Amino acid sequence: MEEKIMFICKEKGKKSKNEVDRKLFKNLMEAVKASFDLDNEISTKILEYIPNLECIEIDKDRNEQRDVPFIVCKFQDNTEEMVEVKNCHEIMWSILNKYISK
């Protein structure tokens, strides 16, 4: 298993990439899950994916056109899973945006 997870952002025809330490990201998702007992579906899903997660991709242009934006989780076996992240999940979006902007 790679020690890093790649975060990719597509915006206005440009693509940016950032590598994030897998263990630190896992620890953060565990803290988010524990902090939001009543609404932790997204952090729970991401935690399930982390062992095989290769990349999280966010297409900001496409998300602007949707009622419910999403991320794409790509795995080491070349499969992928779309995870919807409602705009009201401000903390999760703040975390994701932090990792794609470095």
Side-chain angles (χ1 to χ4, degrees), residues 3-4 21 23-24 27 30-31 33-34 36-37 55 58 61 68 70 74-76 83 85-86:
E3 293 181 25
K4 305 284 184 180
D21 182 83
K23 185 174 181 175
L24 292 176
N27 291 343
E30 287 173 341
K33 180 181 177 184
F36 296 96
D37 287 354
C55 168
I58 300 170
D61 298 327
V68 180
F70 65 93
K74 297 185 177 188
F75 304 102
Q76 295 168 354
V83 179
V85 183
K86 295 177 184 174

Side-chain angles (χ1 to χ4, degrees), residues 14-31:
K14 295 182 181 178
K15 188 188 260 189
S16 61
K17 296 179 181 182
N18 183 38
E19 288 185 333
V20 174
D21 182 83
R22 183 179 305 274
K23 185 174 181 175
L24 292 176
F25 186 63
K26 180 181 180 212
N27 291 343
L28 178 59
M29 289 296 105
E30 287 173 341

Side-chain angles (χ1 to χ4, degrees), residues 4-58:
K4 305 284 184 180
I5 297 172
M6 181 68 66
F7 278 73
I8 298 174
C9 177
K10 295 178 182 178
E11 185 175 24
K12 297 179 183 166
K14 295 182 181 178
K15 188 188 260 189
S16 61
K17 296 179 181 182
N18 183 38
E19 288 185 333
V20 174
D21 182 83
R22 183 179 305 274
K23 185 174 181 175
L24 292 176
F25 186 63
K26 180 181 180 212
N27 291 343
L28 178 59
M29 289 296 105
E30 287 173 341
V32 169
K33 180 181 177 184
S35 297
F36 296 96
D37 287 354
L38 302 175
D39 191 6
N40 60 20
E41 180 181 346
I42 298 160
S43 55
T44 300
K45 258 186 204 177
I46 290 174
L47 280 167
E48 290 173 19
Y49 295 160
I50 283 179
N52 298 310
L53 188 60
E54 185 174 288
C55 168
I56 292 179
E57 190 171 293
I58 300 170

Side-chain angles (χ1 to χ4, degrees), residues 60-73:
K60 288 190 170 193
D61 298 327
R62 189 171 14 171
N63 279 343
E64 284 180 10
Q65 301 169 10
R66 294 179 49 97
D67 291 334
V68 180
F70 65 93
I71 63 174
V72 177
C73 296

